Amino acid sequence: MPKKSPIADVVMHPVRLRIIQQVGTRGVTTSELRAALPDVTQATLYRHVAALVEADILAVVDERRVRGAVERTLALGGRMAHVDHAELREMGEQELRQSFLTFLAHLGETFDRASTDGAFRDFLGFGQVQLQVTTADLTEIQARLTELLTPYMTAKRPGSRTVTLATALIPEPDEER
């Protein structure tokens, strides 16, 4: 029986996915997180933030005193909420399905929230394309995408708008088997 992936256990929780989305490419304070997620109790929010920090999904990048309490500013940590191929291979079939469905549900929630914006369709795009690749090709594609996207993952620039780019690589069944 495959062992569970620790990062999947941490990331594939609906509240944690929402926290990661709020942090995005910018730093957010714990107060900003509480305001952005009003349906999540403070204790629950702090418990999930602690789990994400412990797993290096989030990092504390600043702390300051506010009326006697310490307010932390959070940013994406070293692991950047990414489940790598080794961890995907370690997941059982049910865990893999659940992780993917959680990802899709989170993407749907993001779509629903964004669709209330009047300029939503000016920035909306989605599509699907089939590629013929080897594992070496995928490694190169991922490296080149990272290189291409890195300049756009920095702090907000004048005239820019935050968008979510989601990817899913789903191989077709191997016809030779």
Side-chain angles (χ1 to χ4, degrees):
M1 174 182 218
K3 72 177 197 175
K4 286 192 170 192
S5 166
I7 195 168
D9 290 344
V10 175
V11 173
M12 293 302 170
H13 184 284
V15 172
R16 292 180 188 156
L17 282 171
R18 291 174 63 201
I19 291 168
I20 292 165
Q21 182 191 21
Q22 288 300 317
V23 173
T25 59
R26 60 193 171 88
V28 297
T29 66
T30 48
S31 295
E32 291 169 330
L33 273 178
R34 283 197 323 269
L37 304 172
D39 58 314
V40 179
T41 66
Q42 183 173 336
T44 299
L45 181 70
Y46 286 168
R47 182 170 36 89
H48 288 298
V49 165
L52 290 167
V53 168
E54 184 177 324
D56 196 27
I57 306 301
L58 296 182
V60 178
V61 295
D62 190 29
E63 291 183 333
R64 67 184 183 107
R65 283 244 178 250
V66 177
R67 293 185 290 279
V70 175
E71 180 171 71
R72 301 185 301 173
T73 300
L74 304 162
L76 288 179
R79 292 181 81 179
M80 304 270 303
H82 177 74
V83 180
D84 66 22
H85 288 121
E87 291 170 317
L88 284 171
R89 281 191 289 278
E90 291 175 356
M91 286 184 194
E93 291 300 316
Q94 191 61 29
E95 184 184 15
L96 182 60
R97 260 188 207 91
Q98 182 60 44
S99 295
F100 187 71
L101 291 175
T102 302
F103 167 78
L104 290 177
H106 179 65
L107 188 60
E109 180 185 347
T110 303
F111 180 89
D112 288 344
R113 256 193 332 275
S115 66
T116 63
D117 181 344
F120 165 71
R121 292 174 193 250
D122 294 343
F123 289 87
L124 177 65
F126 50 89
Q128 182 174 315
V129 64
Q130 291 184 325
L131 307 173
Q132 298 296 318
V133 297
T134 64
T135 54
D137 295 334
L138 281 177
T139 300
E140 180 182 355
I141 289 168
Q142 289 171 328
R144 291 172 115 189
L145 277 174
T146 299
E147 183 181 336
L148 173 69
L149 298 175
T150 297
Y152 305 101
M153 295 169 63
T154 59
K156 206 166 173 89
R157 299 177 325 270
S160 70
R161 178 165 179 178
T162 301
V163 299
T164 297
L165 174 65
T167 60
L169 294 173
I170 304 172
E172 291 287 319
D174 190 349
E175 296 166 359
E176 296 174 8
R177 287 189 190 171

